[in-house]
């Protein structure tokens, strides 16, 4: 299905406004088209010397004034209804895009730059709305204008009308050729806008790092290079698009000239039928009106091409496959917490195998630590447990039930999760703590904050728990943000825990306190701890040492040190003199 048809599917929901816009446009254009008839009549009342009928001319002028006022009102109504259609279509499209981001697999989000996704939801949808507004405005008035002028011209002189109809399609042909030539340039322009949005989001969001590494000049150079590419592509697209209007105007002016010559010959010699001077002036006005819609469409060709290119990007995201429906799957309650991995195989890309044949049995209430070098598969294992990614073969069982047979929401609600990258939204501290558990009372949230040692710094904030956090919680330190994330997980009181470098931004003293809090929280709960700092996992029941997607060693801290293997090397690299 073409991009145009996909956009029009969104407008169907607003059929009433489309009908009202069409009626208003038809009335406005119809009245406008009747005015040349009145002008022609006025001309015929003044063509003979000394026989000008001022009374009739004055009556016609008053009539024209009334018609102009009524036409203006209906034109305003048509424009207003069109704006409603476009605004609601853009709203629906943007809403669907946002919903889509929550329905697609995580792999779709991970495979695209965040700035590019944001650009599709903001810039591209807005471009579609602008193009749609132009098309609807020109389409409604254009169709009525073409049909109306054709009827009036045929009623005046069918032969001259035929000359106009035969010659006018030349302008459509010219516009079509130019449109095809510049379509690729407009697609490239939208892609580069997405790339620049992504780069700006990346640089602005990490200004501390940019300044710390004195990267300002290089970032300006890189942005300048991208901006130049956009300028060149944009200039090419705009130039090609701008050619359409003057080219079609030239063709249409030629049509007007031919019509004038043929009409003049008809008046003088009754060639191709009789015609009065008033009728000729009226006919020329209609010939001009007839070609006007073609001129107007080519005048906004740039916006239309931009809208089509933007629409292609929007629908490419909307048509991504959703996560499979799991409404008929199991919801788990009263979970014991036994977890089993049976011959798991997984890779992010076919050419690079990551987890080859992973098996593990974890009993309820045990604390499992996962260590190993970067890229060995630690976080991937967590992604598979939570079904952020699906295993390619094998199975993961919770209490002997395959996680693939569970509802994702049900599965994920079983885990309290604290990640290395602490995420907090713009809202009060209390709202952030309640994010995972909307039913939690203030007292329960404060208790969770006390357990995570966040309560002391929260009390010192200007408005305590009602303190408003900035975007990205920039008014908190990295450690404070992570303490709030830990408190948020504690407020869930989940049967199982996942801690992915959960204390990486906390000072040593606070870390000791948080470890004590975690010990209380993890009591009786199955817990997975991904850690680089081996000091945090000494008391784990089992430590899994991973490398290249496989478990190469497992045991307690003391057992692994005695083995004198890979774990001991990792440990010594952090603690030996």
């Amino acid at each position: 299905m073409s991009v145009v048809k996909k956009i029009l599917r969104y407008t169907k929901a607003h059929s009433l406004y489309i009908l009202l816009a069409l009626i208003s446009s038809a009335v406005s254009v119809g009245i406008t088209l009747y005015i040349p008839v009145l002008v022609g009549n006025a001309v015929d009342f003044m063509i003979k010397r000394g026989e000008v009928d001022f009374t009739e001319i004055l009556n016609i002028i008053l009539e024209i004034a009334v018609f102009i006022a009524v036409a203006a009102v209906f034109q305003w109504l048509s424009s207003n209804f069109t704006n409603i259609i476009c605004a609601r279509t853009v709203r629906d499209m943007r809403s669907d895009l946002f919903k889509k981001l929550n329905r697609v697999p995580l792999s779709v989000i991970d495979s695209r730059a965040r700035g590019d996704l944001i650009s599709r939801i903001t810039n591209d949808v807005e471009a579609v709305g602008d193009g749609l507004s132009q098309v609807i405005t020109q389409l409604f008035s254009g169709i009525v204008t073409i049909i109306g002028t054709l009827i009036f011209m045929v009623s005046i002189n069918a032969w001259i009308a035929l000359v106009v109809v035969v010659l006018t399609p030349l302008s459509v042909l010219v516009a079509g050729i130019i449109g095809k030539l510049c379509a690729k340039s407009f697609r490239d322009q939208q892609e580069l806008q997405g790339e620049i949005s992504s780069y700006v989001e990346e640089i602005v969001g990490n200004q501390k790092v940019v300044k710390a590494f004195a990267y300002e000049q290089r970032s300006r150079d890189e942005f300048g290079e991208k901006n130049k590419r956009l300028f060149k592509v944009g200039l090419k697209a705009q130039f090609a698009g701008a050619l359409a209007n003057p080219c079609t105007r030239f063709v249409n002016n030629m049509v007007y000239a031919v019509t004038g010559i043929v009409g003049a010959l008809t008046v003088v010699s009754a060639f191709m039928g009789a015609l009065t001077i008033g009728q000729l002036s009226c006919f020329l006005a209609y010939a001009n009106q007839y070609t006007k819609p073609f001129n107007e469409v080519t005048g906004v060709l740039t916006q239309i091409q931009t809208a089509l290119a933007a629409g292609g990007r929007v629908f490419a995201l909307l048509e991504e496959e959703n996560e499979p429906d799991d409404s008929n799957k199991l919801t788990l309650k009263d979970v014991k917490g036994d977890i089993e991995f049976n011959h798991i195989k997984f890779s992010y890309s076919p050419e690079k195998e990551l987890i080859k044949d992973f098996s593990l049995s974890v009993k309820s209430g045990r604390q499992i630590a996962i260590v190993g070098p970067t890229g060995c598969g630690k976080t991937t294992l967590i992604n598979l447990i939570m079904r952020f990614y699906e295993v390619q073969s094998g199975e993961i069982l919770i209490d002997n039930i395959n996680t693939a047979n569970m509802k994702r929401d049900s599965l994920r609600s079983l885990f309290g999760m604290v990640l290395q990258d602490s995420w907090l939204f713009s809202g009060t501290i209390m709202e952030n703590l309640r994010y995972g558990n909307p039913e939690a009372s203030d007292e329960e949230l404060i208790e969770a904050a006390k357990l995570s040692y966040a309560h002391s710094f929260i009390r010192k904030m200007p408005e305590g728990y009602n303190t408003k956090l900035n975007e990205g919680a920039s008014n908190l330190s990295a450690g404070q943000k992570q303490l709030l994330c830990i408190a948020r997980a504690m407020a869930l009181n989940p049967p199982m825990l996942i801690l992915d470098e959960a204390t990486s931004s906390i000072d040593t003293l606070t870390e000791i306190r948080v470890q004590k809090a975690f010990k209380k929280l993890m009591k009786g709960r199955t817990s997975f701890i991904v850690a680089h700092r081996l000091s945090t996992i000494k008391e784990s029941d089992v430590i899994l040492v991973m490398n290249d997607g496989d478990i190469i060693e497992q045991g307690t801290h003391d057992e692994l040190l005695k083995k004198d293997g890979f774990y001991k090397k990792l440990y010594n690299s952090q603690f030996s003199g």
Side-chain angles (χ1 to χ4, degrees):
M1 191 185 290
S2 68
V3 173
V4 174
K5 286 181 180 177
K6 291 170 186 173
I7 294 172
L8 290 178
R9 276 193 309 177
Y10 273 90
T11 63
K12 281 183 182 178
H14 314 295
S15 301
L16 176 61
Y17 288 105
I18 292 174
L19 180 63
L20 291 171
L22 186 57
I23 292 169
S24 301
S25 181
V27 172
S28 173
V29 172
I31 292 171
T32 304
L33 291 178
Y34 183 64
I35 290 172
V37 174
L38 298 175
V39 172
N41 292 339
V43 170
D44 283 335
F45 280 119
M46 63 177 75
I47 58 171
K48 290 183 181 179
R49 191 173 185 180
E51 293 183 17
V52 178
D53 192 334
F54 288 103
T55 304
E56 287 295 335
I57 291 171
L58 182 60
N59 289 336
I60 290 171
I61 289 171
L62 291 173
E63 201 175 344
I64 288 172
V66 171
F67 278 129
I68 287 173
V70 174
V73 171
F74 279 96
Q75 188 175 17
W76 174 80
L77 286 171
S78 176
S79 177
N80 191 44
F81 291 136
T82 298
N83 289 338
I84 291 171
I85 294 163
C86 295
R88 293 193 177 191
T89 299
V90 165
R91 177 201 65 190
D92 295 345
M93 199 175 284
R94 188 172 283 132
S95 177
D96 284 353
L97 273 173
F98 193 79
K99 288 176 188 173
K100 187 71 179 183
L101 290 178
N102 289 312
R103 290 173 180 166
V104 295
L106 196 63
S107 56
V108 173
I109 309 295
D110 288 345
S111 64
R112 287 182 169 87
R114 282 184 296 175
D116 181 65
L117 290 172
I118 293 167
S119 182
R120 290 178 196 234
I121 297 174
T122 53
N123 299 338
D124 289 337
V125 171
E126 206 59 47
V128 170
D130 291 342
L132 184 63
S133 174
Q134 294 294 344
V135 167
I136 291 176
T137 303
Q138 308 307 336
L139 184 69
F140 286 174
S141 62
I143 290 172
V144 177
T145 300
I146 290 169
I147 294 171
T149 51
L150 196 56
I151 291 170
F152 278 111
M153 283 192 295
V154 169
S155 67
I156 295 169
N157 190 299
W159 290 107
I160 304 176
L162 184 63
V163 172
V164 176
V165 172
V166 168
L167 293 176
T168 303
L170 288 172
S171 64
V172 179
L173 182 64
V174 170
I177 291 169
I178 293 171
K180 284 182 180 177
L181 290 174
C182 62
K184 184 180 181 302
S185 296
F186 281 102
R187 283 197 300 271
D188 292 343
Q189 179 180 260
Q190 292 305 117
E191 292 290 341
L192 281 169
Q193 280 184 346
E195 188 179 322
I196 283 181
S197 293
S198 180
Y199 187 77
V200 170
E201 193 267 342
E202 188 177 74
I203 295 298
V204 171
N206 296 280
Q207 270 297 296
K208 287 181 183 177
V209 178
V210 170
K211 292 183 184 300
F213 285 88
Y215 197 79
E216 295 96 330
Q217 185 58 50
R218 281 177 289 172
S219 69
R220 284 197 294 272
D221 292 342
E222 285 182 29
F223 178 81
E225 187 272 329
K226 293 176 189 293
N227 206 22
K228 277 182 185 175
R229 280 164 52 208
L230 178 60
F231 170 75
K232 286 179 182 177
V233 170
L235 186 64
K236 186 178 177 182
Q238 299 298 324
F239 177 76
L243 274 178
N245 191 251
C247 288
T248 53
R249 280 185 181 277
F250 174 77
V251 173
N252 291 335
N253 287 336
M254 291 296 292
V255 173
Y256 185 82
V258 171
T259 304
I261 292 167
V262 174
L265 289 172
T266 304
V267 171
V268 173
S269 61
F271 171 70
M272 297 176 73
L275 202 67
T276 68
I277 293 174
Q279 285 176 322
L280 175 59
S281 69
C282 180
F283 201 98
L284 288 173
Y286 285 134
N288 196 39
Q289 287 276 19
Y290 183 78
T291 58
K292 189 179 177 184
F294 302 105
N295 289 336
E296 288 176 343
V297 168
T298 54
V300 295
L301 188 66
T302 297
Q303 280 178 291
I304 293 170
Q305 288 288 350
T306 301
L308 291 174
R313 282 165 48 80
V314 167
F315 290 111
L317 182 55
L318 282 173
E319 288 163 7
E320 287 283 356
E321 265 191 59
N322 290 339
E323 285 186 318
D325 179 52
D326 61 358
S327 56
N328 60 342
K329 301 212 169 167
L330 299 173
T331 299
L332 262 64
K333 292 180 180 177
D334 301 322
V335 171
K336 185 180 173 186
D338 291 335
I339 300 180
E340 195 171 342
F341 300 84
N342 288 332
H343 304 289
I344 299 299
K345 182 181 179 183
F346 176 80
S347 64
Y348 290 105
S349 57
E351 59 274 5
K352 187 178 179 183
E353 216 173 21
L354 182 58
I355 297 178
K356 303 176 186 73
D357 185 14
F358 178 81
S359 294
L360 175 70
S361 182
V362 179
K363 291 299 179 185
S364 171
R366 301 193 81 186
Q367 180 180 324
I368 310 299
I370 308 170
V371 301
T374 301
C376 70
K378 301 186 299 295
T379 301
T380 299
L381 201 59
I382 302 304
N383 286 339
L384 296 178
I385 294 172
M386 298 290 284
R387 286 186 66 196
F388 294 144
Y389 286 81
E390 300 289 351
V391 297
Q392 283 150 1
S393 67
E395 57 182 6
I396 300 173
L397 307 174
I398 294 179
D399 290 357
N400 290 319
I401 298 172
N402 193 336
T403 56
N405 297 326
M406 301 178 194
K407 288 182 180 177
R408 291 181 198 86
D409 288 349
S410 172
L411 168 65
R412 291 164 188 169
S413 68
L414 302 176
F415 291 89
M417 195 168 184
V418 183
L419 302 175
Q420 184 175 3
D421 297 323
S422 48
W423 178 79
L424 298 165
F425 61 87
S426 180
T428 65
I429 290 175
M430 191 63 85
E431 287 169 344
N432 273 276
L433 293 178
R434 192 173 273 117
Y435 186 77
N437 186 5
E439 307 302 321
S441 65
D442 288 357
E443 292 72 23
E444 287 171 329
L445 296 176
I446 291 169
E447 184 60 30
K450 287 177 179 177
L451 281 171
S452 65
Y453 297 92
H455 181 69
S456 57
F457 85 79
I458 293 173
R459 281 189 307 136
K460 296 174 186 175
M461 299 292 286
E463 295 178 59
Y465 282 85
N466 292 316
T467 301
K468 180 98 173 178
L469 300 182
N470 300 336
E471 184 182 353
S474 58
N475 50 339
L476 296 179
S477 70
Q480 288 172 333
K481 285 193 279 189
Q482 205 152 31
L483 286 173
L484 283 183
C485 289
I486 293 168
R488 183 171 61 193
M490 288 182 168
L492 284 170
N493 196 25
M496 291 175 282
L497 287 173
I498 292 175
L499 311 175
D500 191 350
E501 288 293 320
T503 58
S504 61
S505 300
I506 298 173
D507 62 85
T508 307
L509 179 61
T510 307
E511 184 184 338
I512 292 168
R513 291 173 177 170
V514 171
Q515 288 299 333
K516 289 178 182 177
F518 275 148
K519 196 168 183 179
K520 290 179 186 176
L521 183 65
M522 290 187 289
K523 190 173 183 181
R525 293 182 172 90
T526 308
S527 307
F528 290 87
I529 305 171
V530 176
H532 283 296
R533 288 156 68 172
L534 303 186
S535 61
T536 62
I537 49 95
K538 285 183 180 180
E539 296 181 16
S540 298
D541 297 308
V542 178
I543 298 173
L544 304 178
V545 185
M546 294 189 71
N547 196 21
D548 294 329
D550 290 324
I551 296 175
I552 56 173
E553 293 175 6
Q554 66 178 21
T556 64
H557 172 73
D558 293 333
E559 287 170 351
L560 290 171
L561 287 181
K562 288 176 184 176
K563 284 183 179 178
D564 197 22
F566 193 78
Y567 178 80
K568 187 174 182 179
K569 288 179 183 177
L570 284 176
Y571 185 80
N572 287 339
S573 69
Q574 292 186 22
F575 297 104
S576 62

